[in-house]
Amino acid sequence: AQSVSQHNHHVILSEAASLELGCNYSYGGTVNLFWYVQYPGQHLQLLLKYFSGDPLVKGIKGFEAEFIKSKFSFNLRKPSVQWSDTAEYFCAVYSDYKLSFGAGTTVTVRA
Amino acid sequence: NAGVTQTPKFQVLKTGQSMTLQCAQDMNHNSMYWYRQDPGMGLRLIYYSASEGTTDKGEVPNGYNVSRLNKREFSLRLESAAPSQTSVYFCASRTGPGANVLTFGAGSRLTVL
């Protein structure tokens, strides 16, 4: 079965700081990779996705992620966070009809 | 608005009671999913339906049953609720091969006392 590991459980940052969230997965075949975000009290929203091609993908709200196949990683980055980026972030991997999620990283941005 | 609709949004049950969570999507998606979200554990797949007429177990199916009533609707049933099933439940749907993006509903918060 697919497993997805997120490196950090809780990250606390100040506004304008850079953010990087780590994600590793276990499946060695073809996968589709995603980052979802869940703002407080809301449901999951797609932040960005990787299917194929350029391993550096850009998403909404200034987020980007880099797929490194050799490391089975798909790390999320944002150069300068805002208070409104406070949320829980989930890495997810799609394979064999199923989307498997990591445990999530709570990001708190202090004004 | 197009999307995934779940009902109810909130429910409190006593141990041993039964209930059904309803999910409907109006995007003509083939696949539908039920997840549960618990603190520190992310989202775990309970059951999924790859297409109308089929259902399969996910990571945590015990204590649940599902019905893919038609292409639009996918319900999740708890036959005898237990406190361990206290969680937030999300339904999601996905269109066919080549478009593996899931659209999620707003969630159903279930408390079992």
Side-chain angles (χ1 to χ4, degrees):
Chain A
Q2 181 69 258
S3 72
V4 183
S5 298
Q6 292 186 235
H7 304 167
N8 309 97
H9 179 61
H10 193 180
V11 173
I12 302 173
L13 300 165
S14 298
E15 276 193 312
S18 63
L19 172 70
E20 180 160 359
L21 302 181
C23 173
N24 288 90
Y25 61 95
S26 63
Y27 186 64
T30 301
V31 293
N32 299 152
L33 301 164
F34 306 82
W35 278 96
Y36 280 84
V37 60
Q38 186 176 31
Y39 297 104
Q42 296 187 27
H43 62 290
L44 277 81
Q45 302 171 41
L46 181 66
L47 204 52
L48 49 78
K49 62 185 185 290
Y50 172 80
F51 286 174
S52 64
D54 188 345
L56 185 62
V57 293
K58 294 189 185 300
I60 60 172
K61 304 186 180 186
F63 285 91
E64 63 180 30
E66 184 177 13
F67 169 54
I68 303 179
K69 188 175 182 179
S70 61
K71 296 184 177 180
F72 297 90
S73 69
F74 189 56
N75 294 349
L76 180 71
R77 297 194 290 255
K78 184 170 184 178
S80 177
V81 296
Q82 301 172 315
W83 176 81
S84 58
D85 293 321
T86 294
E88 191 160 16
Y89 293 80
F90 295 94
C91 180
V93 177
Y94 184 90
S95 66
D96 193 24
Y97 294 105
K98 297 184 288 290
L99 188 66
S100 300
F101 286 85
T105 299
T106 301
V107 173
T108 301
V109 180
R110 292 181 170 159
Chain B
N1 291 336
V4 179
T5 304
Q6 294 180 228
T7 55
K9 286 186 168 40
F10 301 94
Q11 183 72 50
V12 178
L13 291 177
K14 294 180 180 178
T15 297
Q17 288 185 316
S18 62
M19 77 156 298
T20 300
L21 297 176
Q22 307 286 355
C23 176
Q25 53 91 8
D26 57 6
M27 297 172 285
N28 202 36
H29 286 176
N30 291 323
S31 304
M32 298 185 73
Y33 303 79
W34 276 106
Y35 287 87
R36 60 177 288 173
Q37 183 181 20
D38 302 290
M41 304 190 77
L43 279 82
R44 292 179 293 168
L45 182 63
I46 304 171
Y47 270 94
Y48 68 102
S49 171
S51 61
E52 185 179 357
T54 69
T55 60
D56 286 284
K57 294 178 180 179
E59 300 172 66
V60 289
N62 291 346
Y64 305 96
N65 285 302
V66 290
S67 296
R68 183 74 184 266
L69 304 169
N70 47 55
K71 192 170 186 178
R72 290 187 64 246
E73 298 172 289
F74 188 40
S75 63
L76 179 72
R77 183 160 178 84
L78 287 70
E79 291 291 351
S80 179
S84 61
Q85 294 178 303
T86 293
S87 187
V88 181
Y89 292 85
F90 287 97
C91 179
S93 69
R94 179 186 73 90
T95 190
N100 299 325
V101 177
L102 270 65
T103 301
F104 285 84
S108 299
R109 184 176 293 276
L110 175 65
T111 302
V112 183
L113 302 175

